[in-house]
Amino acid sequence: MSWRFKILNGKDTELYSYIKGDDFLEIDSSLLQLLKENEQDLYDLINYRWGLILETFNSTPRINKKVKIMDEREIKRSSLNKFKSYLDLENKEHKCFICNKKIEDHLSIDHVIPWSYMYSDDVWNLVYVCQTCNSSKNNRIPTRIEIIKLIKRNKNLLKCMEDNGINNKIYDELKISIEKDYVNKFWTGSKS
Ligand SMILES: [Zn+2]
């Protein structure tokens, strides 16, 4: 319990009384009703604070988003098709990232570092894979060779975007990911 909760709308309020060392606190019954009415908001707030605390000693990205998603039992995965035009710049022939074969049908876009770890779609982590490789890959953590390959791919992709005069949010995100070495950082994090 914190003194912070005692200040409400700028006014000092006696929300509860607590004597340090006691294993109980006193709270007015009308306030209990108020807490009950705002239960969901308070719950979100507590989760948010908890996420912030976890993020200070854990390299896992987007803890808050994960906590919320797990709470709501709702996972929204958006279409990756919007990334095709960028991936095509660097991989016109649609070669599979894993087996290197040209993909003739069922072109899939895959997260190299699993989506279940990232909870995010980022161009620096997306590649084309064939159906065979896609179905056998599942959520496995990428190998060192794949990580080196992805780092090289991202550098090439950045250059391709520059050559094509692309200067948007996707370009910025890719550039930052290279500067901050996201591939290595999140790969290391996903293994732990
Ligand atoms: Zn393949």
Side-chain angles (χ1 to χ4, degrees):
M1 278 296 166
S2 162
W3 56 270
R4 288 167 203 270
F5 289 117
K6 290 204 159 205
I7 313 274
L8 211 61
N9 296 329
K11 277 183 281 180
D12 189 21
T13 48
E14 287 301 321
L15 282 180
Y16 58 87
S17 63
Y18 175 70
I19 297 160
K20 203 175 172 189
D22 280 355
D23 52 7
F24 65 90
L25 60 84
E26 281 180 43
I27 188 159
D28 195 88
S29 56
S30 62
L31 279 168
L32 268 183
Q33 186 55 36
L34 195 69
L35 288 179
K36 214 167 167 51
E37 282 164 15
N38 296 288
E39 192 176 24
Q40 191 53 53
D41 287 345
L42 283 166
Y43 195 60
D44 286 346
L45 196 63
I46 290 164
N47 274 340
Y48 175 69
R49 297 289 306 178
W50 179 233
L52 287 183
I53 292 164
L54 288 177
E55 277 171 353
T56 62
F57 51 86
N58 189 317
S59 67
T60 304
R62 300 177 185 85
I63 286 175
N64 271 311
K65 205 170 161 190
K66 288 179 191 176
V67 168
K68 192 150 174 63
I69 288 167
M70 280 187 282
D71 273 355
E72 292 174 356
R73 300 268 183 274
E74 178 190 299
I75 296 174
K76 278 187 200 145
R77 297 186 65 164
S78 54
S79 167
L80 298 175
N81 287 336
K82 63 177 176 185
F83 293 101
K84 274 193 171 139
S85 59
Y86 302 105
L87 298 182
D88 280 350
L89 290 174
E90 195 271 337
N91 185 3
K92 281 185 208 75
E93 294 174 338
H94 296 165
K95 279 188 183 162
C96 171
F97 182 76
I98 296 168
C99 70
N100 252 325
K101 285 183 196 143
K102 191 172 178 340
I103 306 164
E104 301 291 353
D105 51 352
H106 297 291
L107 184 71
S108 325
I109 297 178
D110 186 45
H111 300 76
V112 179
I113 298 167
W115 189 87
S116 57
Y117 178 73
M118 297 300 300
Y119 276 68
S120 173
D121 305 321
D122 309 282
V123 73
W124 60 264
N125 192 36
L126 296 171
V127 294
Y128 285 137
V129 288
C130 70
Q131 202 180 20
T132 316
C133 290
N134 196 27
S135 50
S136 65
K137 188 182 174 279
N138 268 327
N139 275 332
R140 78 165 170 82
I141 304 296
T143 62
R144 175 174 291 276
I145 291 166
E146 283 162 359
I147 288 301
I148 292 166
K149 201 173 169 185
L150 182 62
I151 290 170
K152 201 172 155 223
R153 191 291 304 260
N154 284 342
K155 280 183 191 157
N156 285 337
L157 181 56
L158 190 78
K159 195 179 174 300
C160 290
M161 286 172 95
E162 282 166 356
D163 291 348
N164 282 273
I166 294 166
N167 191 0
N168 58 11
K169 196 169 154 259
I170 305 272
Y171 170 81
D172 290 342
E173 283 169 2
L174 179 63
K175 197 163 185 246
I176 289 168
S177 80
I178 294 168
E179 284 165 7
K180 306 222 172 204
D181 200 15
Y182 280 175
V183 173
N184 256 316
K185 277 182 188 157
F186 289 125
W187 180 54
T188 307
S190 69
K191 286 191 293 180
S192 59

